[in-house]
Amino acid sequence: MAILTFLISLAGATMLLLYAVRMVRTGIERSYGASFQRLLTGRQSHLQAGLMGLILAIVLQSSAAVALLTSGFAASGYLAFPTGLAIVLGGDLGSALIIQILSFKLDWLVPVLLAVGGYLFVKTEAKKARQLGRILMGVAFILISLRFLREAMDPIRDSAFLPAVAGYLARDYITAFLVGGALAFVMHSSVAAILMCVTLVQIGAIPFAAGLSLVLGANFGSAFIPVWLSRGMALKARRIPYANLALRGTWAVICLFGANLALRQGWLGDPQGGQMLVNAHLAFNASLLLLALPVCTPLEGLFMRSFPEPAQAGTAAPGRAASALEQGSYGSPAQAVANLKRELLRMADQVDAMFRPVLELYQGGSKEQIRAVQRMDDEVNACLSGIRRYVAAIPEEAFSKAELKTARSLMEYAIRLETAGDVVARRLTVLAGEMNKKGLSFSKDGWLEITRMHEAIQANLQLASNVLISDDLESARLLSLEKTELKRMEHDSRKRHLSRLQNGGRESFETSDIHLETLRALREFNSHIAAVATPVLYRNGQLLETRLIEEMPEGAGDESSADGFLPKD
């Protein structure tokens, strides 16, 4: 009975730990995801890239999340292999620092985090404040789960079962290594797996030798997580996780045999306790980072040969993905809708590629760079034409009314995406060209406001793609709220800009028209992107058909009361 109670308690504590780690990561990604993208893709040395990965892993509470972000940017061509690998290696060290922080006894902090985090999440409406509340509550849940884990071990710590298992793992360090690797992969979180090992050593449930082998195995197993999660990505993206796996696995095996030999010979004395295990984990990751940074560039050629790009068909345009639509071939209605969504995702990627470099164009983009962005609009227009022809030729007798309505709503979103592309090609790039031609620059505050809006829109582009694929109601609601949030940002920026004009800011006067027009264009672009949420919200009864008052009060139509019904937007 004690074993069954232990297993149930262990499972509960583990699930709470995994949920808490994901809760923290979700809150940070929703608040600062676009900022991370800008930081990751900036030009930096290998050492700076490693430091960036370290910081991001601490913030995201996951080295696997950093690896996936890096792989995604590498697949899009925004990140070179050596820089991406350095970021991932730094992320592993950052993950180790998280464990150092969380291994301290911080039970006194739990009620404070729950009180502050709960208030921010439940009682506030501002996006960043709510997500900060989510993050604080997630950290509190991590600490609670670790307390549960310690309490779950108490009933069986003195039983015959646990010492027998612990003794076997201490003697057979290869088995312990494999168990640690499997544990990290199954839990999909190196932080959670290693925290569990550290807690077991802290309470004396397993000896230090067994804990060290488990931790080294967990380090190896954690490298499989991004390999598994990136298996559907392009080869360019998968090279980085595989390189990290090769480096991490090789160093983990070397350290496994070396450390166990040193322990058996007594060269390391008699290390005990969870803190020593945390120190060993930190030393492993720090040494790996220092040893691997110099070989990041040489490894690129090796992994390019190991994962060569497939030969492209001679008729395919270089760098251009093929259309997902085969005109006249529909198959089942579900297949036709899936084809439309795939083509819309391709179209959204093109719009994203147009929008992403806008800030760089404003800061000194050449005429050729501006024309290159404008030429991308031709591909977006071609996508719309293909979708329009595909939907127009759908055999109505083979589709139900609901299926036809879905196909037409997807075509309507394609029109919105094409219009969003026009906003970039015909307004934002033109404004950027005018800025560069006149040699103007925004004020520091004005540029920061535009940068924040740009980052928020980039995050909304990713969220819109998620809504398009999944039709998820919660994501659609979040995207709609983000649309309102961006509208508020535009309004606040306009007010602050006018205030700077009143205070006599020279840069604000020179760029006033361009600044205000840029704000309007960014808001309009975001509105087109967020339109994908409307059908999902409407189907689920989350959207009103009209904002007009249905029943006018008596006297409301009098001219004298007309001022009381001016629209408030």
Side-chain angles (χ1 to χ4, degrees):
M1 189 64 184
I3 298 299
L4 180 61
T5 303
F6 161 70
L7 291 175
I8 293 173
S9 300
L10 180 63
T14 302
M15 289 301 106
L16 180 59
L17 181 58
L18 291 174
Y19 171 76
V21 170
R22 177 173 291 185
M23 190 173 180
V24 173
R25 186 164 67 245
T26 299
I28 292 171
E29 287 175 345
R30 288 183 177 178
S31 295
Y32 308 103
S35 300
F36 293 159
Q37 177 173 309
R38 179 166 55 87
L39 292 173
L40 278 174
T41 55
R43 294 179 182 177
Q44 49 199 332
S45 67
H46 291 176
L47 186 59
Q48 290 172 325
L51 180 61
M52 183 59 60
L54 183 151
I55 295 170
L56 289 179
I58 292 175
V59 173
L60 292 174
Q61 302 271 301
S62 171
S63 58
V66 174
L68 285 177
L69 280 172
T70 303
S71 298
F73 295 141
S76 302
Y78 296 107
L79 204 58
F81 174 92
T83 305
L85 182 55
I87 290 173
V88 172
L89 292 167
D92 292 326
L93 180 56
S95 177
L97 289 173
I98 296 170
I99 292 162
Q100 172 66 81
I101 296 167
L102 295 176
S103 63
F104 296 131
K105 287 192 175 182
L106 300 171
D107 290 348
W108 59 271
L109 192 57
V110 171
V112 177
L113 293 174
L114 288 175
V116 177
Y119 176 82
L120 291 174
F121 189 74
V122 175
K123 295 294 186 180
T124 59
E125 295 298 329
K127 170 196 169 185
K128 294 204 177 212
R130 281 176 57 83
Q131 297 307 324
L132 177 60
R134 183 194 294 271
I135 294 164
L136 295 178
M137 292 181 69
V139 173
F141 290 157
I142 290 175
L143 298 175
I144 292 171
S145 68
L146 294 176
R147 182 196 299 172
F148 283 174
L149 187 60
R150 289 192 292 268
E151 293 173 354
M153 291 294 175
D154 287 339
I156 68 159
R157 185 166 42 183
D158 299 325
S159 68
F161 168 74
L162 191 58
V165 173
Y168 176 76
L169 292 177
R171 293 190 302 273
D172 189 350
Y173 57 84
I174 294 179
T175 299
F177 180 83
L178 296 175
V179 168
L183 188 65
F185 183 76
V186 169
M187 295 176 75
H188 264 44
S189 172
S190 60
V191 172
I194 295 172
L195 276 174
M196 180 180 291
C197 297
V198 170
T199 303
L200 292 174
V201 172
Q202 276 180 336
I203 64 176
I206 60 174
F208 178 87
L212 180 60
S213 298
L214 284 168
V215 165
L216 289 171
N219 274 281
F220 184 35
S222 67
F224 280 96
I225 299 171
V227 168
W228 174 257
L229 295 177
S230 65
R231 64 191 185 281
M233 292 184 178
L235 280 174
K236 191 184 295 184
R238 287 154 53 199
R239 289 178 188 137
I240 293 175
Y242 272 106
N244 180 55
L245 174 62
L247 290 171
R248 202 166 183 73
T250 301
W251 189 233
V253 171
I254 292 172
C255 289
L256 174 70
F257 287 102
N260 278 278
L261 176 62
L263 285 171
R264 292 185 179 186
Q265 296 296 327
W267 297 338
L268 301 179
D270 186 24
Q272 299 289 334
Q275 185 55 51
M276 282 297 296
L277 190 59
V278 173
N279 293 340
H281 178 53
L282 280 168
F284 170 84
N285 284 280
S287 59
L288 175 60
L289 178 63
L290 293 175
L291 290 171
L293 281 180
V295 300
C296 285
T297 300
L299 280 175
E300 182 175 15
L302 173 63
F303 279 89
M304 286 187 71
R305 291 191 296 272
S306 302
F307 297 89
E309 293 287 349
Q312 298 292 329
T315 57
R320 178 177 295 181
S323 172
L325 303 179
E326 184 178 347
Q327 300 295 336
S329 177
Y330 295 94
S332 66
Q335 182 62 49
V337 169
N339 291 341
L340 281 169
K341 286 188 175 183
R342 285 170 56 204
E343 186 69 0
L344 276 170
L345 283 175
R346 188 170 79 94
M347 192 175 181
D349 286 342
Q350 288 287 337
V351 173
D352 184 28
M354 293 177 66
F355 182 74
R356 193 184 300 271
V358 162
L359 294 185
E360 297 174 16
L361 299 182
Y362 270 81
Q363 286 187 306
S366 65
K367 291 182 179 180
E368 181 53 40
Q369 289 174 316
I370 290 174
R371 282 195 291 267
V373 171
Q374 291 171 337
R375 284 195 296 269
M376 292 183 193
D377 194 41
D378 294 337
E379 180 66 17
V380 175
N381 295 339
C383 286
L384 175 61
S385 298
I387 291 172
R388 189 185 289 121
R389 288 196 304 271
Y390 189 84
V391 173
I394 286 178
E396 296 190 10
E397 66 279 0
F399 285 64
S400 67
K401 289 184 177 180
E403 291 161 347
L404 285 171
K405 185 176 181 181
T406 299
R408 287 165 184 160
S409 70
L410 292 174
M411 184 180 70
E412 289 174 4
Y413 185 55
I415 295 171
R416 298 298 291 267
L417 283 176
E418 192 273 338
T419 309
D422 288 344
V423 171
V424 177
R426 301 179 184 179
R427 292 172 62 185
L428 289 172
T429 56
V430 172
L431 292 169
E434 186 178 343
M435 284 272 294
N436 297 328
K437 183 178 179 180
K438 295 180 179 179
L440 302 176
S441 61
F442 292 118
S443 67
K444 182 178 178 180
D445 290 339
W447 179 246
L448 181 61
E449 292 161 9
I450 289 174
T451 300
R452 286 174 175 168
M453 287 185 68
H454 186 271
E455 291 177 351
I457 294 171
Q458 282 191 285
N460 290 347
L461 276 163
Q462 297 299 318
L463 186 57
S465 295
N466 294 340
V467 174
L468 179 63
I469 295 170
S470 64
D471 286 337
D472 177 58
L473 176 59
E474 181 60 29
S475 296
R477 285 181 59 85
L478 179 60
L479 184 58
S480 182
L481 291 172
E482 291 297 323
K483 178 182 175 182
T484 304
E485 174 69 11
L486 196 102
K487 176 181 173 183
R488 183 195 62 77
M489 291 173 67
E490 186 257 350
H491 180 261
D492 290 347
S493 179
R494 190 168 62 245
K495 285 175 60 178
R496 285 192 289 267
H497 174 73
L498 295 176
S499 176
R500 288 192 292 271
L501 290 179
Q502 291 175 338
N503 293 331
R506 182 181 61 82
E507 290 176 320
S508 297
F509 271 107
E510 292 175 342
T511 61
S512 181
D513 290 341
I514 296 176
H515 185 96
L516 294 174
E517 182 59 30
T518 298
L519 295 178
R520 284 192 292 269
L522 290 174
R523 174 180 166 181
E524 183 180 337
F525 181 92
N526 186 73
S527 296
H528 292 308
I529 295 302
V532 70
T534 302
V536 179
L537 295 173
Y538 186 76
R539 282 198 304 271
N540 289 275
Q542 302 287 308
L543 201 64
L544 297 175
E545 289 196 36
T546 177
R547 296 168 64 186
L548 293 174
I549 300 173
E550 293 186 4
E551 294 186 7
M552 301 277 284
E554 291 185 12
D558 296 344
E559 291 183 5
S560 59
S561 61
D563 291 343
F565 291 93
L566 291 174
K568 296 180 180 179
D569 196 0

